[in-house]
């Protein structure tokens, strides 16, 4: 056996030695072919422990070392680094996990020692098959893509751009701003949302380092950390924004209308439109489904009035490709459709509103100029705000949407402010006011005379329906047909309440965007059980993803309020920045490799790689793995019917040897 | 209210009886607010659950017996708690101490002695089938066992439903037969009342009868029997394919084996029985049948499908007195009339029974008719 | 002495191996019979590995991967989800009880589940008894190291 | 090496004789062969006795081409004898290489096989229920026949083998090449597979291939596959991707999927496991139940994947357990 292997059995204080007879294991290891020395040591991971290993490597010219200690997830790096410093290729280190896999989980010293021996035998046999590998480096393109122009994306783009990074900010709507642009006030400070957001929107729109692409969607992502190639579809808006001066005359003159998306359908907009007054860019697009010319070739009023000749009906979608070093996903959320809980009457009873509708109803720039009124124009004398519409609910979304309690308080405040006579009820399960100044805001609302009912609003009925349905005794006095009745049990009173109101506001759960699955796949970002994008670690890597170089920020990762969203936008920017400023990046050495002399071009591996790292060379009829894209999962290796793909460090021979070792005693 | 000390042994015992989800409840009140009683004389189911969680007195109170097990709360519960099981197990636990309301005891006694809750004689069970010319089940000749519930044997109104169903099955060429007096009540209500012991003996006896007769497929007339055979008889080793009558009728019409042709010229609305709809998600089959009947104008009530209002007859309420004005069935008839229906159709003998009762209390009894789906179908043949 | 099955576990690095580490850190005791090979992804587990383990004397083989949808490598575990049923059918044809091969999705946070699965599987294999493949008697060990 | 002609032995173990026929299928090339080789033992074609071989000095034969698996004591005895008498031993053909079709017997026990062959088959009339015995006493003495083994083995599992020529049968053209190589002394490393490619059948397979996705498996005899398109893409399991090329695409050219007779590729440990992994990875479903339904389309995976190679596979035979 030409190999010289050193085996080190760690006591880990009593963590291992208390259950495993480490001397016996070391003696056993000495008897395995290839092992030239075998020692035990109190703490292998300590500096003297590492020094011991390094000295042996230098003095004895060890070909490989096996450290029998804790999990490789703990200290594999430590020992690899130590070996490297001593001149041994780091991949010639093998860890036998005799702590987490053995001493901590096994009852009985005899059994634990036996298991430790088997693990060491396997590690030694495996180490005999190890090959030296080199880590490789690639350059990083010093630019970033930010997907989604809500507050998270705007913040991330601004932070990156201010640091001198070239940023492409892609937004699918005609303007950046996202959900925050729809809000009137923000809790608990009651700042005007537009007042704090629009300066940031304008900054993003005019920043020399930001290339804004609104009305655009990412279509394809290829490449890898440091060098992502991204295809972006720039949807036809039929207005040449280079020529357009944003004078607005076209909008004024356009004779055709459609429901305004921004106003939640509570108002109309023109066929050529700006989604809202402070839109960035402040230049209109044409809605091809509403434009008479695009639909049936008649009209062209806008063309007539546009002095800049910016209207261009020949415009087509076009695809632009950019190369960036890193990506921040900030694609946000959507609100659940209230119709999914028919008992609450949304969509059926005109007096029932969704939260976003209520935001617009409140907004001075909204469809009613900020006057809170029902669809038939009455000022509500009583309003019920129902919490947890689809949140914390196994039938819809198990999670808490985190912001509803607070914006419900905000609504209550706005109602009391604008309609001091109005009765306001909040029907809640628990009040969750965990943020800075939030509990204080709750108390303030109690002081303002809002009624809090602990009990979930269970049913909402129209006044007329109610009268037709229940015994006369159950009809609240003076109930009018256009009113609503909320049925809820006040769990503190232990009594069912029938509450007549003029308006009901629901607080629909935050949901992943309808296309989150597709977007996740496109950017190779996993999703959690709730459907939101999954962070690499919930505590320690909250904006990283398992796709290196792709970060997530804001509500696409899970429900959160504006402060948290902004914080994540900045966090993602800083992670992206620290990546870019490294200028180059080390990439995985334990990749797959197609051995040309064995590949028959059968194409079995094609289509299996989740990272599209395998390509097929049609001319040579061979598959090839792009080292830079390969993450080393080994799926293709297992599938290759010729065993022509080699998994570096996890090759068949290495694993076979490990199996033989494990079963050798 | 005096101070109380939690008695968690009670909660633990309840879980042994089947209240597995007891601790999952987070007291949001959706159940109480969704309960049909919330319109009239509320049943505070949330409070009962809370008391049970802490084992405090009151969980076994009178309110417990108001529950019709209609599952209106259960389908809404945000924590997915099987509330009907909580009620059932609470009743089962206190049932062992004999605290079952007086009015239910005679029904239970009748089930124990005669195999039906209607104080009818066992030997009269299924006697009606002979006069109707329905053969005894023979696995060589028949594909299905027709399980017609106890009611047609002892209740004239229900007998009409059974006769109609038989006529429909005949017309559709379905090969079916019935069991004789060896059949017993399926035990659904008995179990909901809390008498697990009797339920088990009924289950075993029916399992033996099915086994002996070689039954593989069952058509249940009542959703209660349907529910029990389908979801609860596996415990007795019964592995049969169970269909509700409405599903069979839908299939016969779809396959063209049944051709409704006589025009009815009536406006019909459908009342979803709790055990067909909420408990077993059968909403579409009966509507499909109604839409296939010539001359039927179909109207949906406000509360339909998962939101349907219970008739008030489930969970043992059939045998308990409910005050006028508190009966859900009394509320349901005006609801049906409000949408212009002249026929309230349904698919459960309990519902028919409750509605017929309420109909007698109307100012004009003929303002609306109550029909089982099978009766309507039979009328078109 | 009662039969102590030998079991080889192939665990993915990111979920099940990490879950096993968690069981360790939480000092959860479980049967010592499962000896683990760490692979980066359950998708790396070539069916050959499973056959090799049986050939080398394993009485059972456990595969652990991330829950469907949570794979660290997007969809590596989906390949496993597809391969194992066919492998089980092959093993059955080869006279090896399906119960000797088990695929479990165990996440990094499911230490307790790891403990339970190990104990359950060890008992399951124990109940099946020793495998004692005839090939181990019929052929000398090295006779077919090369194809 | 132009002196004496090569002394060649050819023998059959458990085989169908197809390999022997393959020699004859080289047609006029036989003339080239006779230029360099002289047959010293070929009981299938010429009149030789075991005695003749026993009489040869050890290492007398330059090369023996042994076809057929090792099924009984006679096969083993002659294999050992020829090993002693030959300088080079070649496992010739799929049976010697991997067990071949006779190797499928490893799905059964000897008892099963005797029961089926001598007792249970409908065409058998065996009232005394007599099954073959190794030794039978008759008035004249004791009769002996070779003992049928419990397991079918490959040649290399029995004796030391120098080279392997795969195929069922090997492509005739390869025979002349092999003998020519020996005659010219250009020998590959011991243990090599000769007369076949190191790459899979897919190399240069004329059929078109795009994307592999199995929504359903088809059985060859129930379909009419498009002769232009890859079998796998048509849902027909083809072992080509896991099988050495070298046969000349004889099956594929006849619109039959490859059945794997040329055996596993150089780096492969278990041919069946590899084709299994390749196929299953491309099942087009992520729903366990649907996967099962799709897999129902492969009714006999072990028989299909190990058609020629069961004895060579990692498990070698079906495990009989305590039966």
């Amino acid at each position: 056996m030409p190999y010289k292997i050193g085996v080190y059995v760690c006591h880990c204080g009593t963590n291992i030695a208390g259950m495993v007879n480490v001397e016996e294991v070391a003696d056993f290891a000495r008897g395995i072919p290839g092992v030239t020395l075998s020692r035990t040591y109190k703490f292998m991971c300590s500096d003297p422990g590492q020094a011991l290993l390094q000295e042996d490597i230098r003095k004895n010219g060890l070909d490989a070392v096996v450290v029998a200690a804790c999990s490789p997830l703990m200290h594999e790096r430590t020992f690899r680094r130590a070996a490297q410093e001593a001149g041994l290729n780091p991949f010639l280190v093998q860890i036998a996990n005799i702590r987490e896999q053995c001493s901590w989980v096994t009852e009985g010293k005899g059994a634990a020692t036996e298991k430790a021996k088997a693990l060491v035998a396997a590690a030694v046999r495996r180490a005999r098959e190890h090959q030296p590998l080199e880590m490789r480096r690639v350059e990083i393109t010093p630019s970033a893509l930010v997907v989604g122009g809500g507050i998270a994306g705007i913040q991330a783009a601004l932070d990156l751009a201010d640091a001198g990074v070239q940023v492409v900010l892609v937004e699918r709507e005609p303007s950046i701003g996202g959900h925050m642009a729809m809000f009137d006030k923000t809790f608990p400070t009651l700042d005007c949302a537009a007042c704090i957001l629009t300066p940031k929107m304008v900054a993003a729109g005019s920043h020399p380092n930001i290339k804004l692409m609104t009305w655009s969607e990412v279509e394809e992502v290829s490449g890898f950390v440091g060098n992502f190639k991204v295809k972006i579809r720039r949807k036809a808006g039929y207005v040449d924004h280079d020529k357009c001066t944003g004078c607005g005359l076209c909008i004024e003159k356009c004779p055709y209308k459609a429901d305004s998306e921004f106003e939640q359908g509570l108002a109309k907009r023109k066929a050529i439109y700006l989604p809202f007054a402070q839109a960035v860019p402040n230049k209109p697009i044409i809605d091809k489904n509403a434009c008479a010319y695009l639909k049936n070739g008649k009209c062209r009023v806008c063309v007539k009035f546009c002095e800049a000749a910016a209207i261009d009906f020949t415009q087509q979608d076009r695809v632009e490709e950019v190369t960036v070093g890193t990506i921040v996903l900030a694609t946000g959320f959507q609100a659940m459709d209230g119709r999914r809980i028919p008992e609450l009457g949304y969509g059926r009873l005109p007096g029932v509103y969704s939260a976003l509708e209520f935001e617009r109803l409140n907004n001075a720039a909204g469809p009613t100029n900020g006057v809170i009124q029902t669809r038939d124009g009455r000022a509500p004398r009583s309003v019920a705000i129902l919490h947890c519409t689809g949140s914390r609910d196994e039938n819809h979304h198990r999670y808490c949407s985190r912001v509803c309690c607070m914006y419900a308080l905000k609504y209550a405040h706005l109602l009391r402010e604008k309609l001091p006579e109005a009765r306001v009820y909040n029907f809640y399960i628990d009040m969750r006011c965990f943020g800075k100044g939030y509990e204080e805001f709750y108390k303030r609302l109690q002081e303002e005379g809002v009624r809090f009912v602990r009990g979930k609003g269970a049913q909402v009925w129209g006044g007329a329906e109610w009268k037709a349905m229940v015994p006369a005794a159950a009809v609240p006095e003076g109930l009018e047909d256009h009113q609503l009745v909320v049925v809820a049990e006040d769990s503190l009173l232990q009594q069912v309440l029938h509450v007549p109101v003029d308006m009901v506001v629901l607080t629909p759960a935050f949901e992943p965007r309808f296309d989150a699955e597709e977007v996740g796949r496109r950017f190779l970002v996993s999703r959690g059980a709730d459907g939101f994008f999954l962070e690499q670690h919930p505590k320690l890597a909250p904006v990283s993803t398992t796709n290196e170089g792709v970060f997530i920020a804001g509500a696409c990762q899970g429900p959160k309020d504006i402060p948290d969203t902004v914080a994540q936008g900045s966090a993602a920017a800083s992670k992206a920045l620290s990546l870019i400023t490294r200028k180059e990046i080390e990439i995985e050495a334990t990749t797959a490799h197609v051995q040309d002399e064995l590949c028959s071009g059968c194409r079995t591996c094609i289509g299996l790689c989740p990272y599209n790292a395998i390509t097929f060379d049609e001319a040579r009829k061979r598959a090839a793995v792009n080292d830079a894209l390969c993450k080393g999962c080994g799926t293709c290796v297992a599938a290759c019917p010729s065993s022509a793909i080699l998994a570096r460090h996890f090759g068949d021979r290495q694993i076979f040897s490990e199996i033989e070792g494990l079963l050798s005693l | 209210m005096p101070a109380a000390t939690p008695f968690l042994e009670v909660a633990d015992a309840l879980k042994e009886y089947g209240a597995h989800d007891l601790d999952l409840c987070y007291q949001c009140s959706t159940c109480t607010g969704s309960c049909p009683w919330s319109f009239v004389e509320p049943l505070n189911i949330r409070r009962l659950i809370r008391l049970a969680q802490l084992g405090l007195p009151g969980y076994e109170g009178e309110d417990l017996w108001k529950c019709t097990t209609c599952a209106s709360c259960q389908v809404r519960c945000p924590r997915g708690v099987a509330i009907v099981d909580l009620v059932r197990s609470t009743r089962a636990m206190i049932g062992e101490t004999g605290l079952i309301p007086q009015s239910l005891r005679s029904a239970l006694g009748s089930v124990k002695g005669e195999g039906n809750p209607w104080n009818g004689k066992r030997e009269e069970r299924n006697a009606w089938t002979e006069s109707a010319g329905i053969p005894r089940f023979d696995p060589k000749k028949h594909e299905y066992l027709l399980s017609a519930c106890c009611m047609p044997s002892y209740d004239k109104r229900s007998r009409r439903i059974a006769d109609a169903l038989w006529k429909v099955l005949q017309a559709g060429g379905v090969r079916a037969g019935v069991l004789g007096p060896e059949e017993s009540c399926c035990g659904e209500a008995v179990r909901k009342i809390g008498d697990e012991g009797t339920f088990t003996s009924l289950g075993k006896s029916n399992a033996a009868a099915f086994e002996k007769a070689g039954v593989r497929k069952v058509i249940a007339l009542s959703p209660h029997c349907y529910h029990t055979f389908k979801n609860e008889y596996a415990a007795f080793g019964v592995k049969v394919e169970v269909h509700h009558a409405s599903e069979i009728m839908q299939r016969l019409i779809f396959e063209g084996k049944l051709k409704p042709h006589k025009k009815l010229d009536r406006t019909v609305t459908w009342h979803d029985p709790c055990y067909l709809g909420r408990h077993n998600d059968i909403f579409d089959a009966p509507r499909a049948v109604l839409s296939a009947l010539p001359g039927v104008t179909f109207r949906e009530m406000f509360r339909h499908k998962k939101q349907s209002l219970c008739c008030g007859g489930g969970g043992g309420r059939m045998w308990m007195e409910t005050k006028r004005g508190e009966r859900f069935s009394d509320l349901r008839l005006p609801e049906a009339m409000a949408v212009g229906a002249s026929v309230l159709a349904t698919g459960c003998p309990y519902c028919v029974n409750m509605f017929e009762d309420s109909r007698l209390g109307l100012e004009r009894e003929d303002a609306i008719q109550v029909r089982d789906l099978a009766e309507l179908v039979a009328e078109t043949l | 002495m009662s039969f102590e099955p030998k079991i080889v576990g192939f665990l993915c690095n990111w979920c099940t191996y990490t879950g096993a580490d968690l069981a360790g850190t939480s000092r959860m005791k479980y049967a010592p019979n499962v000896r683990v090979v760490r692979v980066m992804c359950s998708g790396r587990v070539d069916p050959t590995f499973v056959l090799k383990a049986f050939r080398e004397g394993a009485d059972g083989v456990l595969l652990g991967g991330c829950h469907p949808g949570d794979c660290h490598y997007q969809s590596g575990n989906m390949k496993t989800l597809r391969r194992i049923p066919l492998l089980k059918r092959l093993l059955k044809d080869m006279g090896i009880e399906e119960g000797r091969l088990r695929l479990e999705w165990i996440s990094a946070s499911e230490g307790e589940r790891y403990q339970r699965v190990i104990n359950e599987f060890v008992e399951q294999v124990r109940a099946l008894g020793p495998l004692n493949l005839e090939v181990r008697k019929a052929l000398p060990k090295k006779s077919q190291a090369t194809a | 090496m132009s002196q004496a002609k090569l002394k060649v032995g050819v023998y059959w173990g458990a085989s169908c004789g197809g390999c022997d026929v393959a020699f004859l299928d080289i047609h006029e090339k036989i003339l080239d062969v006779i230029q360099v080789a002289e047959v010293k033992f070929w009981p299938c074609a010429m009149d030789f006795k075991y005695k003749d071989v026993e009489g040869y000095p050890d290492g007398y034969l330059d090369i023996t081409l042994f076809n057929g698996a090792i099924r009984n004591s006679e096969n083993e005895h002659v294999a050992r004898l020829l090993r002693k008498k030959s300088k080079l031993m070649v496992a010739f053909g799929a049976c010697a290489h991997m067990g071949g079709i006779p190797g499928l017997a490893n799905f059964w026990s000897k008892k099963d096989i005797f029961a089926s062959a001598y007792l249970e088959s409908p065409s058998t009339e065996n009232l005394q229920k007599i099954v073959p015995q190794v030794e039978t006493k008759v008035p004249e003495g004791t009769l002996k026949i070779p003992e049928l083994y419990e397991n079918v083995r490959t040649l290399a599992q029995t004796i030391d083998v120098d080279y392997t020529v795969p195929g069922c049968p090997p492509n005739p053209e390869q025979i002349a090449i092999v003998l020519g190589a020996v005659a010219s002394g250009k020998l590959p490393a011991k243990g090599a597979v000769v007369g076949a490619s190191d790459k899979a059948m897919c190399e240069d397979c004329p059929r078109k291939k795009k994307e592999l996705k199995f929504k359903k498996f088809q059985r060859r005899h129930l379909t009419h596959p498009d002769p232009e398109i890859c079998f796998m893409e048509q849902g027909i399991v083809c072992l080509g991707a896991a099988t050495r090329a070298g046969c000349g695409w004889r099956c594929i050219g006849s619109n039959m999927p490859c059945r794997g007779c040329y055996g596993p590729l150089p780096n492969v440990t278990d041919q069946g496991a590899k084709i299994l992994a390749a196929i299953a990875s491309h099942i087009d479903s992520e729903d366990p139940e649907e996967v099962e339904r799709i897999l129902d389309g492969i009714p006999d995976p072990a028989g299909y994947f190990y058609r020629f190679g069961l004895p060579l596979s990692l498990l070698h035979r079906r495990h009989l357990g305590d039966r």
Side-chain angles (χ1 to χ4, degrees), chain A residues 344-378:
Chain A
L344 301 183
Y346 181 77
R348 181 170 64 89
L349 302 169
V352 183
Y353 288 79
S354 75
L356 278 177
E357 285 169 347
F358 191 75
E359 291 283 359
R360 295 314 300 158
L361 215 51
N362 245 307
N363 195 296
T368 57
N369 300 320
V371 177
I372 300 173
Q373 59 186 30
T374 56
R375 284 183 169 89
D376 51 6
R378 297 166 204 257

Side-chain angles (χ1 to χ4, degrees), chain A residues 65 155 209 244 283 291 314 326 349-350 368 393 421 434 443 452 457 469 499 507 511 549 552 587 597:
Chain A
V65 292
Q155 185 66 41
N209 289 342
C244 172
K283 294 174 181 180
C291 169
T314 66
T326 178
L349 302 169
T368 57
D393 189 334
E421 300 301 312
F434 51 87
K443 186 176 176 225
F452 290 90
M469 215 167 58
V499 184
T507 58
E511 284 180 337
I552 48 177
I587 51 172
E597 66 280 13

Side-chain angles (χ1 to χ4, degrees), chain D residues 211-229:
Chain D
E211 198 195 359
L212 212 49
K213 255 187 185 173
F214 295 110
K215 202 85 216 177
K216 193 180 167 195
F217 289 106
Q218 307 272 5
R219 301 187 70 185
R220 169 62 186 90
H221 62 284
L222 299 174
T223 47
H224 299 283
D226 183 328
E228 305 281 306
I229 296 172

Side-chain angles (χ1 to χ4, degrees), chain D residues 107-137:
Chain D
F107 277 119
W108 310 98
S109 66
K110 181 172 156 181
K111 211 172 132 208
D112 291 336
I113 291 168
F114 275 9
S116 171
Y118 297 104
L119 304 172
E120 291 161 4
S121 77
S123 58
T124 299
E125 193 171 301
N126 180 358
L127 295 176
Q128 289 110 325
K129 302 207 181 302
I130 296 169
V131 296
Q133 303 295 317
V134 175
E135 293 190 358
T136 311
K137 295 227 181 332

Side-chain angles (χ1 to χ4, degrees), chain B residues 128-143:
Chain B
W128 65 275
T129 58
E130 279 168 40
S131 55
I134 307 181
R136 285 297 157 92
F137 179 79
D138 175 347
K140 285 187 222 78
K141 290 188 206 151
H142 301 134
E143 188 181 358

Side-chain angles (χ1 to χ4, degrees), chain A residues 561-630:
Chain A
D561 59 11
I562 295 170
D564 286 2
T565 300
V566 172
Q568 275 206 341
S570 286
S574 103
K575 293 298 284 183
L577 197 60
S578 78
L579 175 75
I580 284 178
T581 46
R582 291 210 303 252
K583 298 211 163 57
E584 55 175 26
I585 186 172
E586 252 185 8
I587 51 172
E588 199 59 68
T590 57
T591 50
H593 169 68
V594 179
Q595 303 171 87
D596 243 16
E597 66 280 13
L598 294 171
C599 174
S600 69
C602 74
R603 295 175 191 249
T604 303
C605 53
I606 306 297
L608 287 183
C609 179
Y611 303 99
N612 303 320
I614 307 180
T615 48
F616 193 72
D617 182 337
E618 290 289 348
R620 295 172 53 244
K621 298 257 190 276
R622 297 282 174 268
V625 173
N626 181 336
D627 271 345
L629 286 177
C630 174

Side-chain angles (χ1 to χ4, degrees), chain A residues 595-608 622 635 637-644 646 652 656, chain D residues 198-204 209-210 212 233 241-243 265-269 274-275 277-279 281-282 314:
Chain A
Q595 303 171 87
D596 243 16
E597 66 280 13
L598 294 171
C599 174
S600 69
C602 74
R603 295 175 191 249
T604 303
C605 53
I606 306 297
L608 287 183
R622 297 282 174 268
T635 300
V637 183
C640 175
S642 301
S643 291
L646 182 74
D652 286 359
F656 284 169
Chain D
D198 277 351
K199 294 190 178 174
M201 294 289 295
C202 301
E203 165 118 53
D204 299 332
K209 241 181 166 182
K210 281 207 303 279
L212 212 49
E233 294 200 357
T243 303
L265 287 135
N267 258 15
V268 170
T269 308
K274 288 282 31 174
I275 197 70
I279 293 169
S281 301
H282 285 283
L314 273 171

